[in-house]
């Protein structure tokens, strides 16, 4: 059973702090990794994608990938109340065909307190 | 950009009727589209993967005769919930895969079956 695991939270951080979200995956052959943000009652929106080991930065967001340890993390610097949402980690599963199905974590709820 | 639209955004119907939901990729061609369902405070559940011009691949436990999927073009996929019942009430979300990697989500359709 291929799995993606996240701490459900809630993770509570004060405004302006760094929020650190973690995700581990079980399938070693996974090659594409994604972080989505989902506000309550809304659909997911893509925050970051990462494909190779190391860090990838985009504004206040940094994704970190370590394939040897099979984890991917998301750092949010200078957290804002508007960052309060559920963050979903998704990992690409490589099927035999052309369907790029993602394996989803259950999400981590983040609350940024003013 | 990568914009995905869904229509309608919400629908209320009587038990026993059928409901069609459209998913369109507005500014890119999507060879693969995905249909998800999400119940309140639960995680995304993949229902099926749809490739343009071929039959959809349904996840285990999803009735293909109840949830009809058509992917007639590179920019349009439809999900028809046939003979809807109250237990089908949910948030239905589509995503479209750009360049075979990243999934971009539509805004979702809320279905309420009375």
């Amino acid at each position: 059973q291929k799995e993606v695991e996240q701490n459900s939270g809630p993770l509570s951080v004060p405004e302006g702090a760094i929020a650190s979200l973690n995700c581990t995956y079980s399938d070693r052959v996974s090659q594409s990794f994604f972080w989505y943000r989902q506000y309550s009652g809304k659909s997911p929106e893509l925050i970051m994608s990462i494909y190779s080991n190391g860090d990838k930065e985009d504004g206040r967001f940094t994704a970190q990938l370590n394939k040897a340890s099979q984890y991917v993390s998301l750092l949010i610097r200078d957290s804002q109340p508007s960052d309060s949402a559920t963050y979903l980690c998704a990992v690409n599963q490589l099927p035999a065909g052309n369907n790029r199905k993602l394996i989803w974590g259950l999400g981590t709820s983040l609350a940024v307190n003013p | 950009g990568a914009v995905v639209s869904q229509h309608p955004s919400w629908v209320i119907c009587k038990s026993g009727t059928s409901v069609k939901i459209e998913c369109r990729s507005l500014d890119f061609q999507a060879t693969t589209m995905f249909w998800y369902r999400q119940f309140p405070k639960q995680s995304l559940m993949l229902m099926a993967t749809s490739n343009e011009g071929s039959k959809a691949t349904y996840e285990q436990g999803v009735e293909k005769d109840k949830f009809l999927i058509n992917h007639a073009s590179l920019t349009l996929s439809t999900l028809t919930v046939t003979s809807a019942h109250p237990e089908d009430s949910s948030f239905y979300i589509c995503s479209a895969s750009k360049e075979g990697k990243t999934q971009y989500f539509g805004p979702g359709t809320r279905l309420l079956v009375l």
Side-chain angles (χ1 to χ4, degrees):
Chain A
Q1 179 77 17
K2 298 178 174 62
E3 293 182 348
V4 174
E5 295 189 356
Q6 297 180 254
N7 188 320
S8 62
L11 173 65
S12 183
V13 300
E15 184 175 355
I18 296 175
S20 178
L21 305 162
N22 299 311
C23 170
T24 59
Y25 59 95
S26 62
D27 188 357
R28 283 196 167 273
V29 301
S30 301
Q31 295 189 6
S32 306
F33 307 86
F34 305 88
W35 282 100
Y36 287 83
R37 176 175 64 194
Q38 186 175 25
Y39 291 112
S40 180
K42 301 294 186 181
S43 65
E45 59 177 317
L46 181 69
I47 298 297
M48 296 277 287
S49 59
I50 187 166
Y51 305 108
S52 55
N53 278 327
D55 295 359
K56 179 181 178 182
E57 187 174 317
D58 184 0
R60 295 186 297 112
F61 299 96
T62 299
Q64 300 174 319
L65 175 61
N66 184 323
K67 290 187 178 180
S69 300
Q70 294 177 239
Y71 84 79
V72 56
S73 62
L74 180 69
L75 300 178
I76 306 175
R77 290 181 299 281
D78 188 24
S79 296
Q80 301 297 309
S82 58
D83 294 326
S84 299
T86 296
Y87 288 80
L88 302 168
C89 173
V91 175
N92 173 247
Q93 183 185 45
L94 299 178
N98 194 32
N99 296 341
R100 297 285 185 173
K101 186 167 75 170
L102 294 177
I103 305 301
W104 294 86
L106 296 181
T108 297
S109 175
L110 172 67
V112 180
N113 305 309
Chain B
V3 181
V4 178
S5 70
Q6 272 185 253
H7 178 80
S9 56
W10 59 270
V11 58
I12 301 173
C13 69
K14 292 182 179 180
S15 185
T17 60
S18 294
V19 174
K20 179 184 283 189
I21 303 170
E22 291 188 350
C23 176
R24 294 180 185 273
S25 56
L26 299 184
D27 54 358
F28 66 99
Q29 294 186 328
T31 53
T32 305
M33 290 185 172
F34 303 84
W35 287 95
Y36 293 85
R37 182 167 57 179
Q38 188 174 38
F39 293 106
K41 299 196 182 299
Q42 294 188 22
S43 62
L44 287 172
M45 187 195 82
L46 179 66
M47 300 175 67
T49 302
S50 168
N51 281 315
E52 184 264 339
S54 62
K55 290 183 178 180
T57 301
Y58 290 81
E59 295 299 301
Q60 190 173 8
V62 178
E63 300 175 58
K64 63 180 181 180
D65 294 329
K66 181 169 183 62
F67 298 100
L68 301 178
I69 292 172
N70 183 277
H71 193 159
S73 76
L74 288 172
T75 59
L76 173 65
S77 176
T78 60
L79 167 69
T80 301
V81 183
T82 63
S83 186
H85 290 284
E87 59 265 29
D88 298 321
S89 299
S90 188
F91 188 36
Y92 291 86
I93 316 171
C94 75
S95 70
S97 176
K98 183 176 180 182
E99 299 171 350
K101 286 186 175 179
T102 306
Q103 289 186 31
Y104 294 90
F105 284 84
T109 297
R110 294 205 176 276
L111 171 63
L112 177 61
V113 185
L114 302 176

